[in-house]
Amino acid sequence: MTQGDATQLVQILIFGGRGDLARRKLVPAIASLARRPQGGAQLQVVGIGRSGMSDDAFRAWLRGFPQQGHAEAFDAIAPQVHYRSADVQDLASLAKLRAEVDALAGGAEVARLCYLALEPRLFASAVTLLSESGIVHRHRSEDRGYRRVIIEKPFGHDLASAHALNEAVQRVLNEHQVLRIDHYLGKETVQNLLGFRFHNAIFEPVWNRHHVELVQITVAETLGVEEGRAAYYDGTGALRDVLQNHMLQVLALVAMEPPASLDAEALRNQKVEVLRALRLPDPEEVARSSVRARYGPGAAQRGYLDEVGVAEDSTTETYVALRAEINNWRWRGVPFLLRHGKRLPKRFTEVQVQFRMPPLQLFNRPPDMSDAEFDRALHNGALCLIRPNVLTIGIQPRETIGLSFGVKQPGPEMIMAPAALAFDYRERFDDAPPDAYERLLQDAIAGDATLFLRSDEIEASWRYCDAVRTAWSEHGAVPLHEYPAGTWGPAAADELFRGCEGGWTRG
Ligand code: BG6
């Protein structure tokens, strides 16, 4: 049977089937996908965990997830949802599981997608044992149903561990069978960065160091570290949890050269070029170009050290701000200001491309100001009517694009006032974009790796983050600041704008 045959059965095995990700994201996404024809494929879901559980109890647990419309969508696929217990660290247990999932397929040739929603330390051994048990195998030309493995983030905790994991995976599978997920790439607005840049030719001539003064990328969250997450988060921190993956992927899409096609390899080749061109800062540079902090107690919110499960002597950051640089012809010298924090006042993810000011200001100049005073006031942003052009791409929660510019204020005087063009995805398309996991699972089923990460992209991202983290931990180059929960983070982060107009956006 080949992909796309009318009767093809696609078996999705979720390792970590009793986990939060499976219940909150994966199964609702599969239920929603199953409503649409999948190229003739029929989906079967098998949740796998160590504890014993009946199919019915598993279905009841999944169905109970409170999300609008989920119960109805789930009921339609419930008969195809099963639960089997197995231990991914035990070969005999996986051999038994293999017989069980083969039996569930009823003797049909299946395509099989194994989703590793497991503790990251188990990824390498799980892939090895999945292969030894025959649940997956390296692709063979005579194969009639595919075998693919999706690996959740974090993919490694530094360059060395990511490299070791890549090696372990590539020992048993071909690269095209491995789908390393970064759910940001499943977001419509993140994909639209490509569409927006490479469909609208008017931006290309100004998308470079000659016209762009700086690029800001923010991932701001109001949530703190939720109960049950400290075991993962404490010791991981904001740099590794969000900046290394989601933010560097967004940066790569903003900064990459146009690919020759939308082919997965063409696209990923261009992204990896950007990630490799990130200037690796030495400890002295890290001290000048990074700020780390953690939230302390705020109005009605506890501080990070009081969260359940956080070590008393923790030095984990919940906030990171970086001034990154891309050493290539297009971007050399343009600061990429990256900021991510938990327990900030507002949840939003946004990209801002700030263009250079005109070389000479003809408008809005107070008549009695000297040239020097005027230049200083401009630079400090003291003249609020004189603002640079800024292109703002809102990724979430509202999916928007805005372009700010100046227009002449009506009246006898030549005074320019700020104005903006605005686009809102939901107003234009009457609907919220689909969930990121739905899109990514659909692509995984179809074998389209465009929105998944290649091994070299991940390693290039870690190389950059390792340089920052080593300077933090080994050279003590950067103090760990504290900010009250519910505020915008430490004032020290404002200094990363040195030499540039403006400051951090507040969404
Ligand atoms: C996850 C991180 O990868 O992304 C979380 O582990 C973070 O800590 C989340 O909250 C943010 O994702 P989103 O889609 O809510 O922006």
Side-chain angles (χ1 to χ4, degrees):
M1 215 172 301
T2 55
Q3 191 184 322
D5 273 3
T7 50
Q8 187 179 40
L9 180 65
V10 176
Q11 213 172 45
I12 306 177
L13 310 188
I14 307 178
F15 292 87
R18 293 295 314 280
D20 207 37
L21 183 71
R23 189 177 189 229
R24 270 193 320 127
K25 292 286 182 189
L26 303 181
V27 172
I30 297 167
S32 171
L33 265 183
R35 291 175 141 179
R36 289 181 272 126
Q38 294 304 308
Q42 196 203 342
L43 307 183
Q44 183 179 65
V45 180
V46 188
I48 295 145
R50 271 185 305 178
S51 51
M53 193 176 209
S54 69
D55 284 356
D56 282 343
F58 184 53
R59 288 170 189 149
W61 177 72
L62 291 171
R63 190 182 191 278
F65 173 61
Q67 178 180 294
Q68 212 188 355
H70 168 62
E72 299 81 64
F74 181 74
D75 286 344
I77 57 150
Q80 287 113 260
V81 176
H82 305 271
Y83 181 82
R84 293 293 178 269
S85 68
D87 180 353
V88 282
Q89 292 178 280
D90 177 13
L91 183 56
S93 167
L94 289 179
K96 180 169 150 282
L97 176 70
R98 183 193 171 176
E100 289 171 346
V101 292
D102 282 348
L104 279 174
E109 274 289 345
V110 284
R112 188 172 284 153
L113 199 57
C114 294
Y115 200 117
L116 304 191
L118 293 167
E119 273 181 64
R121 68 181 172 86
L122 300 177
F123 289 158
S125 65
V127 175
T128 309
L129 294 183
L130 282 176
S131 159
E132 285 176 21
S133 66
I135 292 175
V136 297
H137 56 251
R138 189 183 290 285
H139 177 74
R140 299 174 297 227
S141 54
E142 70 274 19
D143 281 348
R144 295 164 79 199
Y146 60 73
R147 298 288 182 269
R148 294 181 190 137
V149 176
I150 303 185
I151 304 182
E152 251 302 324
K153 72 166 270 272
F155 196 95
H157 54 267
D158 57 15
L159 174 58
S161 56
H163 185 70
L165 180 52
N166 275 324
E167 283 190 334
V169 169
Q170 286 161 350
R171 257 196 296 276
V172 295
L173 297 171
N174 289 341
E175 176 67 22
H176 71 85
Q177 296 176 274
V178 188
L179 300 162
R180 301 169 190 82
I181 210 162
D182 181 320
H183 79 275
Y184 259 59
L185 293 185
K187 294 181 191 276
E188 282 288 342
T189 33
V190 172
Q191 293 160 36
N192 189 46
L193 288 169
L194 278 179
F196 182 78
R197 282 193 57 200
F198 302 131
H199 182 76
N200 302 306
I202 57 168
F203 293 103
E204 174 55 23
V206 292
W207 208 259
N208 55 48
R209 58 194 294 273
H210 302 295
H211 300 279
V212 174
E213 172 158 30
L214 63 90
V215 177
Q216 257 194 77
I217 302 175
T218 301
V219 175
E221 297 187 299
T222 49
L223 285 178
V225 174
E226 299 145 289
E227 225 169 304
R229 278 205 96 205
Y232 154 72
Y233 195 87
D234 199 34
T236 297
L239 176 74
R240 292 197 268 208
D241 181 43
V242 166
L243 195 137
Q244 181 271 338
N245 37 78
H246 308 324
M247 296 188 76
L248 290 187
Q249 281 296 313
V250 170
L251 173 142
L253 292 170
V254 170
M256 67 191 263
E257 295 302 314
S261 75
L262 287 182
D263 170 78
E265 295 319 315
L267 214 91
R268 298 191 293 181
N269 286 343
Q270 297 296 23
K271 279 200 291 163
V272 79
E273 282 297 309
V274 173
L275 297 169
R276 285 195 184 128
L278 279 167
R279 180 186 166 91
L280 290 184
D282 64 14
E284 218 173 279
E285 219 169 294
V286 171
R288 273 183 289 119
S289 63
S290 75
V291 172
R292 59 176 172 150
R294 73 163 169 242
Y295 60 84
Q301 282 171 330
R302 57 175 169 236
Y304 177 69
L305 290 181
D306 297 323
E307 299 287 11
V308 180
V310 170
E312 263 173 40
D313 57 353
S314 168
T315 55
T316 299
E317 80 288 353
T318 60
Y319 175 102
V320 55
L322 287 182
R323 178 173 170 132
E325 276 190 41
I326 299 171
N327 273 349
N328 64 16
W329 275 54
R330 188 187 282 268
W331 294 115
R332 173 86 206 214
V334 177
F336 279 71
L337 293 152
L338 312 177
R339 175 184 50 158
H340 160 59
K342 293 203 182 284
R343 283 271 187 257
L344 300 184
K346 194 170 170 185
R347 174 178 181 256
F348 71 99
T349 297
E350 189 180 272
V351 176
Q352 280 206 344
V353 180
Q354 182 174 316
F355 295 94
R356 293 193 188 284
M357 295 281 246
L360 187 66
Q361 267 304 331
L362 298 174
F363 308 103
N364 302 10
R365 179 175 174 152
D368 45 355
M369 246 188 196
S370 71
D371 284 350
E373 281 170 336
F374 185 53
D375 283 347
R376 269 199 299 277
L378 271 179
H379 192 72
N380 301 335
L383 300 170
C384 61
L385 287 183
I386 304 180
R387 302 293 315 129
N389 298 118
V390 178
L391 178 73
T392 302
I393 303 176
I395 287 172
Q396 63 186 23
R398 292 301 286 186
E399 299 82 5
T400 53
I401 298 179
L403 181 63
S404 71
F405 50 90
V407 290
K408 183 187 170 302
Q409 208 163 273
E413 285 169 281
M414 200 61 189
I415 295 178
M416 302 296 287
L421 287 173
F423 155 80
D424 187 316
Y425 191 105
R426 295 181 203 211
E427 279 170 19
R428 168 68 181 79
F429 297 109
D430 291 333
D431 211 355
D435 182 72
Y437 277 95
E438 188 175 330
R439 168 64 198 266
L440 293 174
L441 280 163
Q442 184 172 25
D443 286 3
I445 291 167
D448 182 349
T450 312
L451 299 178
F452 293 88
L453 309 186
R454 220 167 50 186
S455 54
D456 50 0
E457 289 182 74
I458 292 194
E459 293 189 17
S461 304
W462 276 124
R463 191 169 294 118
Y464 172 72
C465 289
D466 280 3
V468 175
R469 211 176 38 84
T470 312
W472 286 359
S473 57
E474 286 170 26
H475 300 268
V478 178
L480 180 66
H481 295 275
E482 192 160 293
Y483 58 101
T487 64
W488 284 108
D494 295 341
E495 285 156 30
L496 300 183
F497 277 80
R498 61 181 173 271
C500 302
E501 309 285 338
W504 294 108
T505 157
R506 300 204 160 173

